[in-house]
Amino acid sequence: MSSPLFRARALHKRFGAVAALAGIDLEVARGETLSIVGPNGAGKSTLLRIVAGLARPSSGGLELGVEREWRAAIGYLGHQTWLYPELTARENLIFTGRLYGMPDPAARADALLEEERLTAAAHRRAGGFSRGMAQRLSIARARVHDPDLLLLDEPYTGLDRRAADRLTERLSDLKAAGHTLMLVTHDIVAAGLLSDAMILLVAGRVRARWRGRELDAGTLEARYLELVEENAA
């Protein structure tokens, strides 16, 4: 069996006396989608920020099974879009491509705009985009450098049902194309549809793991709520 693309071992993160993460072990196989779910304050975003290299763990180890430098291998979509509102959609992607040293950032920008169905809006300023359009552009920005691992932190936040359905469809397309995803979300149903594996974090610890047929959307949400209540008691 091949080694995983990403592995975390005994990962801890403390903020003073508060343990945000308390011994996290997880693996993500190449081409797999792992969803991380849990209540507010569970440590989900902290975990993703550490994987993205935006925060340092207090202890524990991280491994990425690629030859590239960590920053070049990771794509990250956080709570903020990190888009420049005064730049057009195309200019945002070209600028990001230049930051990563892409050999032809304009061609890469055009290809990503087409993939995200934003070609018609390529020359519109990003500040005038709807939340759904901005989220799609942010996914394109996170993919400019063709990362090995794409991290998405609460990408459904602020989306209406139609935009959320479009996002689920887009993430399904990325998964089908072989991209490796780590997804933090409160949308348990969407996570169940998209994921190969899912973990439940509560108070910085993994309280449950699901794979394959265990991700049935019909029973997953009820089991999730039951486990959160048990661990909050």
Side-chain angles (χ1 to χ4, degrees):
M1 185 174 180
S2 61
S3 60
L5 174 66
F6 171 78
R7 179 187 286 124
R9 286 288 178 264
L11 200 65
H12 289 76
K13 179 64 177 178
R14 300 192 67 86
F15 296 99
V18 177
L21 299 175
I24 301 296
D25 294 317
L26 62 86
E27 294 183 352
V28 184
R30 191 177 299 275
E32 183 176 68
T33 296
L34 170 70
S35 287
I36 305 163
V37 299
N40 291 332
K44 305 183 301 297
S45 293
T46 297
L47 174 58
L48 231 61
R49 285 178 58 80
I50 289 173
V51 178
L54 299 174
R56 295 178 64 86
S58 301
S59 62
L62 298 172
E63 300 174 19
L64 194 60
V66 297
E67 298 295 328
R68 304 165 74 183
E69 186 266 334
W70 197 282
R71 176 176 173 270
I74 299 290
Y76 176 70
L77 171 61
H79 292 167
Q80 295 181 331
T81 63
W82 289 0
L83 300 173
Y84 292 92
E86 295 304 314
L87 297 182
T88 67
R90 188 171 188 268
E91 288 169 343
N92 266 282
L93 298 183
I94 290 173
F95 177 75
T96 305
R98 287 173 177 162
L99 290 179
Y100 280 101
M102 297 297 293
D104 191 346
R108 179 63 174 161
D110 291 339
L112 287 168
L113 288 167
E114 183 174 356
E115 287 182 23
E116 298 298 336
R117 302 176 187 175
L118 290 172
T119 300
H123 300 290
R124 285 175 51 188
R125 290 183 178 180
F129 279 15
S130 68
R131 175 65 182 173
M133 291 177 67
Q135 199 71 314
R136 282 151 56 201
L137 182 57
S138 295
I139 291 173
R141 180 203 56 76
R143 295 180 54 226
V144 159
H145 55 300
D146 194 22
D148 297 275
L149 177 60
L150 182 60
L151 311 175
L152 303 116
D153 192 359
E154 298 288 3
Y156 289 93
T157 299
L159 299 184
D160 60 28
R161 189 69 260 167
R162 184 179 180 185
D165 289 344
R166 285 179 176 174
L167 177 59
T168 299
E169 179 183 353
R170 184 65 192 115
L171 295 180
S172 295
D173 290 342
L174 291 174
K175 173 180 168 59
H179 293 274
T180 308
L181 310 177
M182 285 181 65
L183 170 69
V184 164
T185 182
H186 284 287
D187 192 327
I188 306 301
V189 173
L193 292 172
L194 289 167
S195 303
D196 301 290
M198 184 186 299
I199 63 171
L200 168 65
L201 281 188
V202 181
R205 297 181 183 275
V206 177
R207 300 297 187 179
R209 301 177 189 265
W210 296 282
R211 292 197 67 90
R213 294 180 180 178
E214 297 172 320
L215 294 169
D216 172 61
T219 58
L220 187 61
E221 191 166 20
R223 184 59 180 148
Y224 164 83
L225 293 172
E226 179 183 322
L227 285 167
V228 169
E229 290 178 3
E230 286 178 4
N231 285 279

